[in-house]
């Protein structure tokens, strides 16, 4: 935007503000510098001059690169440069994060919900995050209540075709830990003891199945020790009563219910132990998903009107 004739817009931050900003930022640990400048930035005495040069030369790029490190008062130093569209955009965006208005909070909430839903679709379409095994590892008790107690649990600890003995031991160890978590939750919730998942030793079957390679001997010894520490090879002997046996359709329906619950847990932020929500919520590239959806909806409406 050009200034009216006879009037000049300010194009750089005031001298005092520039000194204070670059002085403080130069003292921060792990401050980002482009690769071409990293050797110079390694010397603390050079950091301030590098920052000072960028701020005086291109305030918009400075805000893009370091705006997230600035305080509200430091951002106000850029207010006289607000006639520049790019600088104005950065200032509005940065200030809304530090001192959000009610409208900013509402917009942020909507954006976060949309981005999580877009990321959920990415996880469903490309990956194993919502596979049954992965969900069971994250929520073993929930899986047990929806579908696990209606499944044949002994099959989980049996050796699989082509599986090495060390791999079987590792999988059984992991299974023992999961069943232990299920039982702990049952005890915490006061589930009747008759319904608890229990371990069942099966050493004879293990010996019959054992056909280890020479290079598996050390692994076998170590894993047997670990299995002993968690209750030997797991075999959940709890079986549903005959009148609890479900048809394939009923099992599929319960699996769908379990998956829906896991989707909702992700959307509500309960998967923080497994995912970086801050990174997801701030990922503006996820907005492209909704732009594409809006375009498709507009095209569908157009062709529907034509028909």
């Amino acid at each position: 935007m050009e200034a009216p004739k006879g009037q000049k817009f300010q194009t750089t931050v005031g001298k005092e503000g520039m000194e204070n900003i670059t002085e403080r930022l130069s003292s921060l640990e792990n401050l980002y510098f482009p690769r071409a400048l990293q050797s110079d930035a390694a010397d603390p005495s050079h950091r301030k001059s590098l920052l000072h040069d960028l701020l005086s030369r291109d305030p918009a790029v400075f805000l893009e690169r370091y705006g997230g490190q600035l305080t509200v008062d430091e951002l106000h130093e850029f207010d006289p440069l607000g006639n520049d569209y790019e600088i104005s955009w950065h200032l509005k965006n940065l200030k809304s994060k530090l001192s959000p208005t009610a409208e900013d909070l509402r917009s942020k909430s909507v954006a976060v919900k949309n981005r999580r839903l877009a990321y959920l679709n990415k996880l469903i379409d490309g990956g194993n995050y919502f596979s049954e095994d992965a969900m069971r590892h994250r929520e073993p008790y929930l899986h047990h209540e929806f579908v696990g107690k209606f499944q044949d649990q002994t099959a989980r600890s049996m050796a699989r075709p082509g599986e090495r003995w060390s791999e079987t031991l590792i999988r059984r160890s992991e299974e023992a830990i999961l069943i232990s978590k299920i039982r702990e939750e049952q005890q915490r919730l006061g589930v009747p003891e008759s319904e608890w998942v229990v371990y069942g030793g099966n050493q004879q079957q293990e010996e019959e199945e054992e056909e280890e390679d020479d290079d598996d001997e050390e692994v076998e010894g170590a894993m047997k020790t670990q299995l002993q520490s968690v209750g030997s090879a797991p075999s959940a002997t709890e079986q549903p009563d005959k009148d609890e046996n479900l048809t394939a359709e009923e099992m599929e329906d319960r699996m769908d219910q379990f998956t829906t619950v896991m989707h909702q847990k992700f959307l509500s932020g309960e998967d923080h132990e497994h995912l970086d929500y801050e990174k997801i919520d701030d990922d503006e590239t996820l907005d492209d998903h909704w732009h594409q959806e809006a375009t498709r909806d507009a095209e569908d409406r157009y062709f529907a009107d034509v028909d």
Side-chain angles (χ1 to χ4, degrees), residues 219-231:
V219 178
E220 175 192 352
M223 292 308 303
K224 278 188 174 179
T225 301
Q226 184 175 357
L227 284 171
Q228 291 171 359
S229 69
V230 293

Side-chain angles (χ1 to χ4, degrees), residues 241-252:
D241 296 334
K242 291 183 179 180
D243 58 356
E244 287 188 287
N245 289 338
L246 304 181
T247 65
E249 289 185 358
E250 290 172 328
M251 282 293 291
E252 183 178 359

Side-chain angles (χ1 to χ4, degrees), residues 103-119 267 277 280-288 290:
E103 179 61 24
D104 290 334
L105 292 174
R106 189 196 69 80
S107 298
K108 176 65 175 177
S109 176
V110 172
V112 165
K113 290 178 181 178
N114 287 340
R115 289 169 185 173
R116 289 186 185 182
L117 188 55
Y119 198 79
L267 292 172
Y277 276 101
I280 295 170
D281 295 347
D282 291 337
D283 187 356
E284 296 181 357
T285 64
L286 293 172
D287 297 338
D288 295 340
W290 299 109

Side-chain angles (χ1 to χ4, degrees), residues 289-306:
H289 171 84
W290 299 109
H291 295 156
Q292 294 170 6
E293 288 287 328
T295 300
R296 281 194 290 268
D297 289 344
E299 291 175 348
D300 291 343
R301 287 195 299 271
Y302 172 78
F303 287 114
D305 292 340
V306 170

Side-chain angles (χ1 to χ4, degrees), residues 50-93:
L50 292 172
L51 294 168
H52 194 285
D53 177 67
L54 178 61
L55 179 52
S56 59
R57 177 168 43 84
D58 198 334
V61 173
F62 185 91
L63 284 174
E64 179 181 6
R65 190 174 297 170
Y66 302 113
Q69 305 286 344
L70 302 181
T71 66
V72 173
D73 289 338
E74 289 171 337
L75 288 174
H76 283 314
E77 296 287 345
F78 292 81
D79 287 345
L81 316 182
N83 290 295
D84 181 290
Y85 173 80
E86 190 174 359
I87 292 176
S88 177
W89 185 89
H90 283 303
L91 286 176
K92 182 179 179 180
N93 187 46

